């Protein structure tokens, strides 16, 4: 499908969520990549979901201040 396939960013978001739930330190990098791509594609609905999942990840990692920033 290629890098521009619309489904790819959804798959990467699912990978970030899975990595977060497994405690994988790579989750941060995956979330940042997904968020940057969603901003570039101007997809507000999926961006909102990604930011919510990222905030949950940060909270569960004990990073409450970063979670507050992610939710803004």
């Amino acid at each position: 499908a290629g890098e521009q396939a619309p489904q790819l960013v959804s798959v990467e978001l699912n990978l970030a969520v899975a990595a977060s739930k497994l405690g994988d330190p790579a989750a941060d990098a995956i979330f940042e990549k997904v968020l940057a791509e969603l901003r570039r594609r101007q997809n507000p609905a999926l961006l909102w979901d990604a930011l919510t999942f990222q905030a949950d990840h940060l909270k569960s990692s004990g990073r409450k201040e970063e979670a507050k920033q992610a939710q803004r």
Side-chain angles (χ1 to χ4, degrees), residues 14-37:
N14 289 336
L15 289 172
V17 172
S20 171
K21 289 182 179 184
L22 292 171
D24 188 336
D28 288 340
I30 300 169
F31 274 121
E32 290 305 319
K33 180 182 178 195
V34 167
L35 293 170
E37 182 61 19

Side-chain angles (χ1 to χ4, degrees), residues 20-71:
S20 171
K21 289 182 179 184
L22 292 171
D24 188 336
D28 288 340
I30 300 169
F31 274 121
E32 290 305 319
K33 180 182 178 195
V34 167
L35 293 170
E37 182 61 19
L38 289 171
R39 286 184 180 108
R40 187 186 72 73
R41 292 185 188 195
Q42 300 180 357
N43 186 329
L46 198 51
L47 179 60
W48 177 259
D49 288 346
L51 288 168
T52 301
F53 285 126
Q54 183 191 40
D56 290 344
H57 162 68
L58 293 168
K59 277 188 229 171
S60 69
S61 299
R63 297 153 56 192
K64 293 182 178 163
E65 194 58 40
E66 289 177 78
K68 285 180 190 175
Q69 290 176 351
Q71 288 179 319

